[in-house]
Amino acid sequence: MNVPNNYTGRYNGKVSTSNLNVNGEDFSEFELFELPTPFDDLTPFDDSTSFDESTPRGYPPRDRSMSVTNVNMLMERNKPSHHTTDYDISNLVIRRGQEFMMEVTFSRPLTDSDDFQVEFLIGSNPSASQGSLVAVTFTSRRGGPWPGRVLERRGTTVTLGITPSASAIVGRFRTYVAIVAGRGMQRTRRNSDTDLYLLFNAWCPEDTVFLGNEAERREYVLNDHGVIHQGSLGSVIHRNWVYGQFERGILDACIYILDKSQMPIYDRGNIIKVVRKGSGMVNAQDDKGVLVGNWSNNYSMGRSPTSWTGSIRILLQYANTGTSVSFAQCWVFAGVFNTFLRAIGIPARVITNFNSAHDNTGNLKTDLIFNSDGSPDTRNTRDSIWNYHCWNEVWITRQDLPSQFHGWNVVDSTPQETSDGHYRCGPASVHAIKTGQLCHPYDAGFVFAEVNSDVVFHKRTQFGTLEVTDILKTHIGLALYTKAVGSSGHSDVTHTYKYREGSAEDEATMARAEQYGCERDHSDLPENLLSITLNAEPVMLGQDVSLQVNFHNQGDLNKTVKAHLTASVVFYTGIVAESFKALDFIAQVPANQTKTEVLSIPAEEYFAHLGSQVSLRFVLTGQSDDQSVTAVKLLTLQTPNLNVALDGPRCVGQVMYVTVSFTNELGFRLEKVNLSLAGSGMLSDTDHFYNSIEPLGSITWTVEFYPRLPGERTLFAVMDCENLRQVMGSATVAITA
Amino acid sequence: MNVPNNYTGRYNGKVSTSNLNVNGEDFSEFELFELPTPFDDLTPFDDSTSFDESTPRGYPPRDRSMSVTNVNMLMERNKPSHHTTDYDISNLVIRRGQEFMMEVTFSRPLTDSDDFQVEFLIGSNPSASQGSLVAVTFTSRRGGPWPGRVLERRGTTVTLGITPSASAIVGRFRTYVAIVAGRGMQRTRRNSDTDLYLLFNAWCPEDTVFLGNEAERREYVLNDHGVIHQGSLGSVIHRNWVYGQFERGILDACIYILDKSQMPIYDRGNIIKVVRKGSGMVNAQDDKGVLVGNWSNNYSMGRSPTSWTGSIRILLQYANTGTSVSFAQCWVFAGVFNTFLRAIGIPARVITNFNSAHDNTGNLKTDLIFNSDGSPDTRNTRDSIWNYHCWNEVWITRQDLPSQFHGWNVVDSTPQETSDGHYRCGPASVHAIKTGQLCHPYDAGFVFAEVNSDVVFHKRTQFGTLEVTDILKTHIGLALYTKAVGSSGHSDVTHTYKYREGSAEDEATMARAEQYGCERDHSDLPENLLSITLNAEPVMLGQDVSLQVNFHNQGDLNKTVKAHLTASVVFYTGIVAESFKALDFIAQVPANQTKTEVLSIPAEEYFAHLGSQVSLRFVLTGQSDDQSVTAVKLLTLQTPNLNVALDGPRCVGQVMYVTVSFTNELGFRLEKVNLSLAGSGMLSDTDHFYNSIEPLGSITWTVEFYPRLPGERTLFAVMDCENLRQVMGSATVAITA
């Protein structure tokens, strides 16, 4: 419905939803005071003045002796103290809650009777009551909420210190200087050079994103390169990701995202609303956001999710075209969201949850349904277990919640499920998840299920009813990883999400979650005297897989187990791409013993079914006369690496060379190969295309570049083609200033 | 974005979002068991059977001796105990968590070896793991979650008792009886006569809508007529509203609303999701819901909000056309939402909040901005105060929250502000609002502000900055009314939303709210030695208004007050339709005295500006040498009544007559007059149109009808035309069975 006229009786005006002033000019250059009222003693009425009725825009001041001749935002002095030096941007970038300096030069030295104010405006119809128009005063005359002081007077120039409030709106402000001149105010003209970007401030104790530890701030706000974990727990893939939050155009792109979302300007100082809105906008679903999700094998209408080196190209393309970028899967959503968050000053990191439950019905049961022959019943199975899932954490003060929920909060921009009607998720306090306090916003229950669901195996009986045959309580949320602070290694943060399985605290957490409506399965299963475990050593793609099946019989009776193995190539979402093997066999397991069978899966059995996937899943169901047991094993095949070598003087601004090389030892031809290379502060995203790489063929590609920023920097290369993805390489180098 | 193919790797199938089975048939009539596995001892493999390979849909059973010949849902026996007698519907309507009976007749008497089950299905792809396929068994064989028992066997007929679980999906289920017959199951064909409607159950202690008090259940679930309060506190209008939840087609229309919302079937047993979804669907905003809001004076594209007698016509039109109905304002949204809630069994009532703050920025300040001459600055004022606002309360167990939040919860379907991206509001616990515990979902902060905001008066200075001049702490949420249980009077429920202003508990509540981020204004104002109050006696529309202005001077110095009065016709949303008077005057107020000025506003001053509004608002700002004070008075003009008279025997099914009459004593001609009449269980909505009614002209309209339901019943008539709205009348009568 679009019936604006129906709302005549509802609203006084439109809400501003853009950093720009879409209405045009902010002020006329000279603004006449309203006629003062008799008791208004601030500006005594001067009845000797004759009005010039011929000037429609306002009456010029009698005293034209003073004007502003220059405004200097003191970029080089402000940027280091605000930790914004790396932003490749021609305007001042500062953080809120912290003083910055600016110099104003007047046409003559100031006297004590001179009065002026500096005004910061954002959006259309800026308004003092909504924080989008802030007047800063430097006398006893009361101004807005940002304190101002004169730091120095030198001739006609004054140096001002201005402290944006720690809860100020974040975005791009327009700056004006207004001189109180006789009957009105004389203002500087609009000058975009004096616009300033105001960010969240992790260094400011009053800011809702305050983070006390400097090493953590350097990692979570200032590091523009990272590592995202993929694969499965026994065979983790470390994927580099170029966040690039300081690169040219990225901060503007991030503000563009909020403008595109039509988020009211006055909400943009509120950390909770900003991160929630961001989690919705990074996916294209329902709001024309940044990235289009695609979990098929067909990426012909865009780039494959595996082919991106980082966020830069994605954000620039979105901001330049205004249309969503194709295509993404969870790590791409998380990587781009991380850039957005760090760019506007919010401490953020990417988390990977191995064996992530994706529950469709909002309970703590991941229901896997099997036919009576032991094969998976995919038609009736709705829930799935993702091999891994990536989301983000932000370090924030939850002003809306009791204080124990401050700190890391989950936000997730992958469009998994709608949260309250939109594809978005969080912020959900990690502490709330650990303690099962799911009675607070937002989406804590959904994240709780992702890390804590029980896997419930059901057998469909011939009557159409379901029988619970087995429950795995430790399969989901096996581990949660993030990049370590200050190194490229991983940090295991599982303990921040969960107490030790089976501990008293863990039981209290689960009980609390149930009390808040998270249903669990308490089926009364017979004591598990029989159990199965599956093992497989990591192998390279193209090698034979050896699957070890261990039947453990803890009972005092020999068992005959009828076993059914299903082997499938799966998407990382746990959905079957293709099943390539089904096998029935009988195992005799003596009392109190473990019987091991080794099943060999030759490469040719799975190879033709891989497509571009690299994950195999083995599901084994075993049935003895009195018991049904199930085991699941995921194996991520390893892919070859790219070789990345650097040459040159390793200094800012001096030419360097990077060479990417690769030899195809896979035994099949790679076709339509795209090679991408990027590195924050080093090299813009750049691509090279090869029609094909024959078996045992080699490629070598050299690119020239000029480092922009000093410090330890990484170049990251990705090779991607339809029949082989996830081929990567990187090189790290220390660049001197 | 609509790119379903992108999700191949994400989902196994579509989620069911409709009560219907959009895929067609549920079952084939005979379903063959899957081949039993060797250890499956339930149905020993019978290898003597020869398969008939020519039958593609299944193999017929050898034993065709038994079949189901009749299924009887025992309407007359079930309805009274389930409190569903009044539903004018040909299917069985029952409430969950409570046993109902059905009779199944077989082709021969049952023997002990016979096995059968009754199956209840809802939506497409019904599934046992999601509660949308429930198999009820009557032997030791395990079925689904609904217990079944055989109550009686008589010849070939068995009477069954079945208890839907207290958390079952609410909606229309399809019923099947399946006989286990040799190699498979033989089912009854689909028969819509045996469909059953399952509702929430306020009588069941295990249900999340359990309400212990029978008088309250009769009012909040079973009463199909109500009263909604409008106007302003000194001049409250009691508007009748025909809820009509039992009328033909209404329950289907309510289920249609949920189907139209595409709410997943498996969520429809969850009270929190259902009421939240309902609050979004009753308005047309962003989801093509039931009612289009319109706060203009132009209703030419539909019916004016004031012209409806109740919900019936609206819901039937929506369900029949599938398009949103024009037009509504808050009481219409609340009235229709109340019907929806009661129809599906949820205890619900309509609440009116007098002086309801509508804050745009999510804080506890309703910011009213004035120019320096004392006149309202409507351009910069974003917040508004609605004369009254109507919402609903539902009585529910908040499974998602600690137990103190169970009970009445606010839900609001008027599209005031988006809640987390959609136009909807709640459920917000009334207890959470009373105690300031705003850290729980949903929208408690918004409702808290509606009843607790401070009115902050700002003066815009000549420098563009704002100065706080006055704060009114008791103006907002002056009182909250609902219809009393068992009578047509009102019940004041203000104390359930707030502690006494200024009490220690109230201060604790406000402190808690601030701790959760609700910003208040703590401006340091000079001690208020001067204050103003405004009074006006209620008058009929067309009569002169006498406005009493009292200046109270509690100081020891005489004061000269410069006063500015602005008088406006306002929408009930507090937005100015037209200002008709501005007046400046000086009052001399002696020390420690009250000075009263009486301003007379002749009818001709406001009359031409009324349009169809009936509310006048007076804003008086006074300025002494050291203080600024402001007072606001709202006056709702009274409108004439319709005369409604009844004639006839007052028995169910016997003809009666109702006569509506009216004489125009207003002194102006009424044009294009619509007269509407309705009454639950008495009379369908019916209209009569008059081209004009001249001054002192009379109309009389008689309608014949046959009462359908016994008990105390009300007929309600509304007259509506462009230059006069809110003319109403009603008659209540006891109908015997």
Side-chain angles (χ1 to χ4, degrees):
Chain A
M1 294 301 304
N2 190 2
V3 279
N5 286 342
N6 286 1
Y7 291 84
T8 322
R10 287 269 317 272
Y11 296 114
N12 275 314
K14 278 197 67 168
V15 170
S16 178
T17 58
S18 161
N19 275 241
L20 302 173
N21 183 354
V22 295
N23 295 338
E25 277 184 70
D26 289 321
F27 298 111
S28 57
E29 209 179 323
F30 181 74
E31 188 182 19
L32 186 74
F33 291 149
E34 288 165 13
L35 278 184
T37 52
F39 291 110
D40 186 334
D41 53 6
L42 275 171
T43 55
F45 191 80
D46 179 352
D47 57 7
S48 68
T49 317
S50 68
F51 290 98
D52 175 4
E53 300 284 353
S54 64
T55 313
R57 287 177 70 207
Y59 304 90
R62 267 181 312 167
D63 176 10
R64 279 189 170 272
S65 64
M66 183 154 103
S67 61
V68 173
T69 59
N70 191 43
V71 176
N72 184 341
M73 301 305 282
L74 301 177
M75 305 261 288
E76 297 316 311
R77 285 171 73 181
N78 284 315
K79 280 185 162 188
S81 59
H82 282 263
H83 311 278
T84 57
T85 310
D86 288 355
Y87 282 93
D88 188 6
I89 213 166
S90 58
N91 287 83
L92 180 59
V93 182
I94 54 164
R95 298 183 195 272
R96 61 188 197 174
Q98 183 177 335
E99 190 175 58
F100 71 99
M101 289 174 281
M102 60 185 278
E103 264 180 18
V104 179
T105 306
F106 295 92
S107 55
R108 61 161 172 76
L110 284 185
T111 68
D112 282 348
S113 67
D114 288 326
D115 189 12
F116 70 98
Q117 62 189 27
V118 182
E119 298 166 338
F120 298 94
L121 277 67
I122 187 166
S124 310
N125 301 321
S127 150
S129 67
Q130 301 195 7
S132 54
L133 185 161
V134 183
V136 183
T137 55
F138 302 89
T139 61
S140 60
R141 179 165 65 77
R142 202 150 150 186
W146 299 7
R149 58 181 180 143
V150 174
L151 297 174
E152 194 188 10
R153 293 176 192 235
R154 212 162 3 91
T156 57
T157 297
V158 291
T159 306
L160 306 173
I162 296 172
T163 308
S165 61
S167 61
I169 291 168
V170 163
R172 178 174 178 150
F173 282 82
R174 306 182 290 280
T175 306
Y176 295 88
V177 181
I179 299 170
V180 178
R183 309 193 58 81
M185 289 203 292
Q186 174 77 36
R187 280 195 181 80
T188 51
R189 288 174 189 273
R190 165 104 169 90
N191 176 4
S192 62
D193 293 344
T194 60
D195 285 3
L196 70 82
Y197 291 85
L198 189 58
L199 309 183
F200 290 101
N201 192 352
W203 285 261
C204 168
E206 288 76 37
D207 198 309
T208 49
V209 301
F210 175 66
L211 177 58
N213 180 299
E214 176 66 10
E216 291 183 353
R217 288 188 298 239
R218 299 214 153 266
E219 181 69 37
Y220 298 134
V221 181
L222 299 182
N223 197 349
D224 53 4
H225 190 93
V227 174
I228 300 177
H229 304 94
Q230 301 178 285
S232 42
L233 199 53
S235 37
V236 175
I237 298 169
H238 295 252
R239 172 182 275 267
N240 281 264
W241 193 265
V242 180
Y243 295 125
Q245 67 266 34
F246 305 121
E247 301 302 306
R248 181 163 302 212
I250 296 299
L251 178 57
D252 281 314
C254 295
I255 290 173
Y256 172 79
I257 290 170
L258 290 176
D259 284 356
K260 181 103 174 172
S261 80
Q262 307 235 324
M263 184 181 191
I265 284 288
Y266 54 71
D267 280 346
R268 302 210 194 160
N270 182 317
I271 185 66
I272 292 150
K273 292 185 177 176
V274 167
V275 299
R276 183 154 178 76
K277 181 58 84 173
S279 88
M281 279 303 291
V282 170
N283 66 73
Q285 222 75 354
D286 66 37
D287 52 14
K288 303 195 173 93
V290 181
L291 282 161
V292 179
N294 185 333
W295 285 264
S296 75
N297 267 326
N298 180 355
Y299 309 116
S300 56
M301 304 298 285
R303 281 182 79 111
S304 72
T306 42
S307 72
W308 302 105
T309 52
S311 310
I312 301 171
R313 190 200 299 253
I314 293 167
L315 286 167
L316 294 181
Q317 182 181 329
Y318 182 67
N320 290 335
T321 65
T323 57
S324 307
V325 178
S326 298
F327 289 106
Q329 290 177 4
C330 71
W331 69 92
V332 186
F333 289 111
V336 169
F337 194 17
N338 217 50
T339 300
F340 169 87
L341 295 163
R342 291 187 182 177
I344 60 174
I346 303 169
R349 60 188 187 182
V350 174
I351 301 286
T352 298
N353 177 35
F354 292 104
N355 289 351
S356 194
H358 179 192
D359 185 283
N360 280 292
T361 44
N363 56 29
L364 285 185
K365 302 183 288 185
T366 297
D367 295 306
L368 304 185
I369 301 171
F370 291 81
N371 297 314
S372 49
D373 68 353
S375 63
D377 176 355
T378 51
R379 181 181 171 278
N380 284 292
T381 298
R382 302 288 165 140
D383 296 340
S384 58
I385 304 167
W386 292 32
N387 302 353
Y388 64 91
H389 178 49
C390 302
W391 58 66
N392 303 73
E393 282 180 0
V394 288
W395 179 270
I396 60 175
T397 301
R398 288 296 300 260
Q399 306 150 282
D400 57 336
L401 299 185
S403 58
Q404 68 264 38
F405 302 114
H406 301 345
W408 289 117
N409 272 254
V410 172
V411 280
D412 186 353
S413 63
T414 298
Q416 282 204 310
E417 286 293 318
T418 53
S419 156
D420 220 7
H422 286 288
Y423 282 99
R424 60 186 169 184
C425 178
S429 157
V430 173
H431 179 75
I433 292 158
K434 182 170 184 175
T435 53
Q437 294 180 76
L438 308 180
C439 56
H440 301 288
Y442 296 86
D443 306 313
F446 184 78
V447 180
F448 188 85
E450 288 183 305
V451 299
N452 282 315
S453 276
D454 298 330
V455 183
V456 182
F457 295 97
H458 299 265
K459 193 174 75 178
R460 243 170 73 87
T461 70
Q462 56 193 349
F463 306 102
T465 56
L466 298 180
E467 257 174 33
V468 174
T469 57
D470 204 358
I471 299 178
L472 294 188
K473 291 190 185 293
T474 56
H475 186 72
I476 297 293
L478 210 50
L480 295 106
Y481 280 12
T482 190
K483 176 182 174 301
V485 173
S487 91
S488 63
H490 77 265
S491 168
D492 185 329
V493 294
T494 316
H495 66 281
T496 67
Y497 282 83
K498 324 184 180 198
Y499 290 105
R500 192 174 47 74
E501 177 75 27
S503 66
E505 292 93 338
D506 179 57
E507 277 171 24
T509 292
M510 299 310 281
R512 219 175 276 121
E514 277 195 278
Q515 179 195 319
Y516 293 132
C518 282
E519 211 186 318
R520 295 185 75 190
D521 194 295
H522 294 285
S523 294
D524 209 8
L525 291 173
E527 204 194 342
N528 266 3
L529 296 175
L530 182 69
S531 63
I532 309 178
T533 53
L534 298 176
N535 282 319
E537 288 299 307
V539 296
M540 280 291 288
L541 189 151
Q543 293 181 345
D544 298 349
V545 174
S546 173
L547 183 72
Q548 199 186 54
V549 185
N550 307 301
F551 296 90
H552 312 283
N553 182 357
Q554 294 178 280
D556 296 328
L557 297 170
N558 296 345
K559 297 262 183 191
T560 301
V561 182
K562 180 170 172 294
H564 179 91
L565 174 77
T566 309
S568 314
V569 173
V570 293
F571 290 87
Y572 86 97
T573 56
I575 298 297
V576 172
E578 223 170 315
S579 291
F580 60 86
K581 191 183 182 82
L583 181 71
D584 285 296
F585 62 97
I586 304 278
Q588 305 293 347
V589 193
N592 294 305
Q593 286 194 29
T594 291
K595 172 79 172 290
T596 297
E597 304 269 2
V598 175
L599 305 176
S600 176
I601 292 104
E604 47 268 32
E605 281 197 1
Y606 70 77
F607 206 76
H609 304 275
L610 277 182
S612 61
Q613 305 306 317
V614 292
S615 297
L616 306 182
R617 191 175 63 193
F618 303 98
V619 178
L620 194 119
T621 50
Q623 209 157 345
S624 70
D625 51 354
D626 60 352
Q627 207 191 321
S628 227
V629 285
T630 314
V632 179
K633 172 68 188 176
L634 191 73
L635 181 69
T636 304
L637 300 167
Q638 296 174 328
T639 49
N641 291 326
L642 297 176
N643 194 326
V644 181
L646 288 165
D647 195 22
R650 302 170 184 226
C651 287
V652 166
Q654 297 196 29
V655 69
M656 284 187 72
Y657 300 91
V658 54
T659 300
V660 183
S661 55
F662 173 74
T663 300
N664 178 8
E665 293 173 341
L666 283 164
F668 59 93
R669 189 163 78 161
L670 304 178
E671 292 187 330
K672 294 183 181 154
V673 179
N674 192 74
L675 192 54
S676 289
L677 186 64
S680 296
M682 300 272 272
L683 179 64
S684 310
D685 280 81
T686 175
D687 280 342
H688 200 79
F689 184 78
Y690 299 89
N691 232 329
S692 67
I693 305 175
E694 298 296 326
L696 295 177
S698 290
I699 56 158
T700 301
W701 176 38
T702 300
V703 177
E704 173 188 299
F705 67 98
Y706 297 82
R708 182 178 75 83
L709 292 173
E712 193 174 281
R713 311 238 137 236
T714 301
L715 278 169
F716 175 47
V718 172
M719 197 175 90
D720 195 70
C721 63
E722 274 190 28
N723 50 353
L724 184 67
R725 310 204 188 269
Q726 302 277 26
V727 178
M728 305 178 286
S730 66
T732 299
V733 59
I735 303 290
T736 55
Chain B
M1 293 302 306
N2 190 3
V3 280
N5 286 341
N6 286 359
Y7 291 84
T8 322
R10 287 268 318 272
Y11 296 114
N12 274 315
K14 277 196 67 168
V15 170
S16 177
T17 58
S18 161
N19 275 242
L20 301 172
N21 183 356
V22 295
N23 295 338
E25 275 183 74
D26 289 322
F27 299 111
S28 58
E29 209 177 324
F30 181 74
E31 188 183 19
L32 186 75
F33 291 149
E34 289 164 14
L35 279 183
T37 53
F39 293 110
D40 188 335
D41 54 5
L42 274 170
T43 56
F45 191 80
D46 180 353
D47 57 8
S48 70
T49 315
S50 67
F51 290 98
D52 176 3
E53 300 285 353
S54 65
T55 313
R57 287 178 70 206
Y59 304 91
R62 269 180 310 169
D63 176 9
R64 279 188 170 274
S65 66
M66 183 155 99
S67 60
V68 174
T69 60
N70 191 45
V71 176
N72 184 341
M73 302 305 282
L74 301 176
M75 305 262 288
E76 297 317 311
R77 285 171 71 181
N78 285 313
K79 282 185 160 188
S81 60
H82 283 261
H83 311 278
T84 57
T85 309
D86 287 355
Y87 284 92
D88 188 5
I89 214 164
S90 57
N91 287 84
L92 179 59
V93 182
I94 55 163
R95 299 184 196 269
R96 62 187 197 175
Q98 182 177 336
E99 191 174 57
F100 71 97
M101 290 173 281
M102 59 185 280
E103 264 180 20
V104 180
T105 306
F106 296 93
S107 55
R108 60 162 172 75
L110 283 184
T111 69
D112 283 348
S113 66
D114 290 325
D115 190 10
F116 70 97
Q117 61 189 28
V118 182
E119 297 166 339
F120 299 94
L121 278 66
I122 187 166
S124 309
N125 302 320
S127 152
S129 68
Q130 302 196 8
S132 54
L133 184 160
V134 183
V136 183
T137 55
F138 301 89
T139 61
S140 60
R141 179 166 65 76
R142 201 147 149 190
W146 298 8
R149 59 180 180 142
V150 174
L151 297 174
E152 191 186 13
R153 292 176 193 235
R154 210 161 5 91
T156 57
T157 296
V158 291
T159 306
L160 306 172
I162 297 173
T163 309
S165 61
S167 60
I169 291 168
V170 163
R172 180 175 175 148
F173 283 81
R174 306 182 290 279
T175 306
Y176 295 88
V177 181
I179 299 170
V180 179
R183 308 192 58 82
M185 288 202 292
Q186 176 77 36
R187 280 198 182 79
T188 51
R189 289 175 188 272
R190 165 104 169 90
N191 175 3
S192 62
D193 293 345
T194 61
D195 286 2
L196 70 81
Y197 291 84
L198 189 58
L199 308 183
F200 291 100
N201 192 351
W203 285 262
C204 169
E206 288 75 37
D207 197 309
T208 49
V209 301
F210 176 66
L211 177 59
N213 180 299
E214 176 65 10
E216 291 183 353
R217 289 188 297 240
R218 300 215 152 263
E219 181 70 38
Y220 298 133
V221 181
L222 299 182
N223 197 347
D224 53 4
H225 189 94
V227 173
I228 300 178
H229 304 94
Q230 301 177 286
S232 42
L233 199 52
S235 38
V236 174
I237 298 169
H238 295 252
R239 171 182 276 268
N240 280 263
W241 193 265
V242 180
Y243 295 125
Q245 67 265 35
F246 305 120
E247 300 302 306
R248 179 162 302 212
I250 296 299
L251 179 57
D252 282 313
C254 295
I255 290 173
Y256 172 80
I257 290 170
L258 290 175
D259 284 355
K260 180 102 175 176
S261 80
Q262 306 235 324
M263 184 181 192
I265 284 288
Y266 54 71
D267 280 346
R268 302 209 194 161
N270 182 317
I271 184 66
I272 292 149
K273 291 184 178 176
V274 167
V275 298
R276 183 153 177 77
K277 180 59 83 175
S279 88
M281 280 303 291
V282 170
N283 67 72
Q285 223 74 356
D286 67 38
D287 52 12
K288 303 198 173 92
V290 182
L291 281 162
V292 179
N294 186 333
W295 284 263
S296 74
N297 267 326
N298 181 355
Y299 308 116
S300 56
M301 303 298 285
R303 280 182 80 112
S304 71
T306 41
S307 72
W308 302 106
T309 51
S311 310
I312 302 170
R313 188 201 301 252
I314 293 167
L315 287 166
L316 294 180
Q317 181 180 329
Y318 181 67
N320 291 334
T321 65
T323 57
S324 307
V325 178
S326 297
F327 289 106
Q329 290 177 3
C330 71
W331 69 92
V332 186
F333 289 111
V336 170
F337 194 16
N338 217 51
T339 299
F340 169 86
L341 295 163
R342 291 186 183 178
I344 60 175
I346 303 168
R349 61 187 187 182
V350 175
I351 301 286
T352 298
N353 177 34
F354 292 103
N355 288 350
S356 193
H358 179 193
D359 186 284
N360 279 291
T361 45
N363 56 29
L364 284 185
K365 302 184 289 186
T366 297
D367 294 306
L368 304 185
I369 301 172
F370 290 80
N371 297 314
S372 49
D373 69 352
S375 64
D377 176 355
T378 51
R379 181 181 171 275
N380 284 292
T381 299
R382 301 287 165 140
D383 296 340
S384 58
I385 305 167
W386 292 32
N387 301 354
Y388 64 90
H389 178 48
C390 302
W391 57 65
N392 303 74
E393 281 179 1
V394 287
W395 179 271
I396 61 176
T397 301
R398 288 298 299 262
Q399 305 149 282
D400 56 337
L401 298 186
S403 58
Q404 68 264 37
F405 303 113
H406 301 345
W408 289 118
N409 272 254
V410 172
V411 281
D412 186 353
S413 62
T414 298
Q416 281 204 309
E417 286 294 317
T418 54
S419 157
D420 220 7
H422 285 289
Y423 282 98
R424 61 187 167 183
C425 177
S429 157
V430 173
H431 179 75
I433 293 159
K434 182 169 184 176
T435 53
Q437 295 180 75
L438 308 180
C439 56
H440 301 288
Y442 298 86
D443 308 311
F446 184 78
V447 180
F448 188 84
E450 288 183 304
V451 299
N452 281 315
S453 277
D454 298 329
V455 183
V456 182
F457 295 96
H458 300 266
K459 193 174 75 179
R460 245 171 72 88
T461 70
Q462 55 194 348
F463 305 103
T465 56
L466 297 180
E467 259 173 32
V468 173
T469 57
D470 204 358
I471 300 179
L472 294 189
K473 292 190 185 295
T474 55
H475 187 72
I476 297 293
L478 210 50
L480 294 107
Y481 279 13
T482 190
K483 176 182 174 301
V485 173
S487 91
S488 62
H490 76 265
S491 166
D492 185 330
V493 294
T494 316
H495 66 282
T496 66
Y497 282 83
K498 327 185 178 195
Y499 290 104
R500 192 173 48 75
E501 177 75 26
S503 66
E505 294 93 338
D506 180 57
E507 276 169 24
T509 291
M510 299 310 281
R512 219 174 277 123
E514 276 195 278
Q515 179 196 321
Y516 293 130
C518 282
E519 210 186 318
R520 295 185 76 189
D521 195 296
H522 293 285
S523 294
D524 209 9
L525 291 174
E527 203 194 342
N528 265 3
L529 295 176
L530 182 70
S531 64
I532 309 178
T533 54
L534 298 175
N535 282 317
E537 288 298 308
V539 296
M540 282 291 286
L541 190 152
Q543 293 183 341
D544 298 349
V545 173
S546 174
L547 182 72
Q548 198 185 54
V549 185
N550 306 302
F551 296 90
H552 311 284
N553 182 358
Q554 294 178 281
D556 295 328
L557 296 171
N558 296 345
K559 297 260 182 193
T560 301
V561 181
K562 181 172 170 290
H564 180 93
L565 173 77
T566 309
S568 313
V569 173
V570 294
F571 290 87
Y572 85 96
T573 57
I575 299 296
V576 171
E578 222 171 315
S579 289
F580 61 87
K581 190 184 183 81
L583 180 71
D584 285 295
F585 61 97
I586 303 279
Q588 306 292 346
V589 193
N592 295 305
Q593 287 195 27
T594 291
K595 172 78 172 290
T596 298
E597 304 268 3
V598 176
L599 306 175
S600 176
I601 292 103
E604 48 268 30
E605 281 196 2
Y606 69 78
F607 206 75
H609 305 274
L610 278 182
S612 62
Q613 306 305 318
V614 291
S615 296
L616 305 182
R617 190 175 63 193
F618 303 97
V619 178
L620 194 120
T621 52
Q623 210 157 344
S624 70
D625 49 355
D626 60 354
Q627 206 191 321
S628 228
V629 286
T630 313
V632 179
K633 172 66 188 175
L634 190 74
L635 181 68
T636 304
L637 300 166
Q638 297 175 326
T639 50
N641 291 326
L642 297 175
N643 195 325
V644 181
L646 289 164
D647 195 21
R650 302 168 185 227
C651 286
V652 167
Q654 297 198 29
V655 68
M656 285 188 70
Y657 301 92
V658 53
T659 300
V660 183
S661 55
F662 173 73
T663 300
N664 177 9
E665 291 173 342
L666 283 164
F668 58 93
R669 191 163 79 161
L670 304 178
E671 291 186 330
K672 294 180 182 157
V673 179
N674 192 74
L675 192 54
S676 289
L677 186 63
S680 297
M682 300 270 273
L683 179 64
S684 311
D685 280 80
T686 176
D687 281 341
H688 200 80
F689 184 79
Y690 299 89
N691 231 330
S692 68
I693 305 175
E694 298 296 327
L696 296 178
S698 289
I699 56 158
T700 301
W701 176 39
T702 300
V703 178
E704 173 188 299
F705 67 99
Y706 297 81
R708 182 178 74 83
L709 293 172
E712 193 174 282
R713 310 237 137 238
T714 301
L715 278 169
F716 176 46
V718 173
M719 196 177 90
D720 196 68
C721 63
E722 276 190 25
N723 50 352
L724 185 67
R725 308 203 189 271
Q726 303 276 27
V727 177
M728 305 178 286
S730 66
T732 299
V733 59
I735 303 291
T736 55

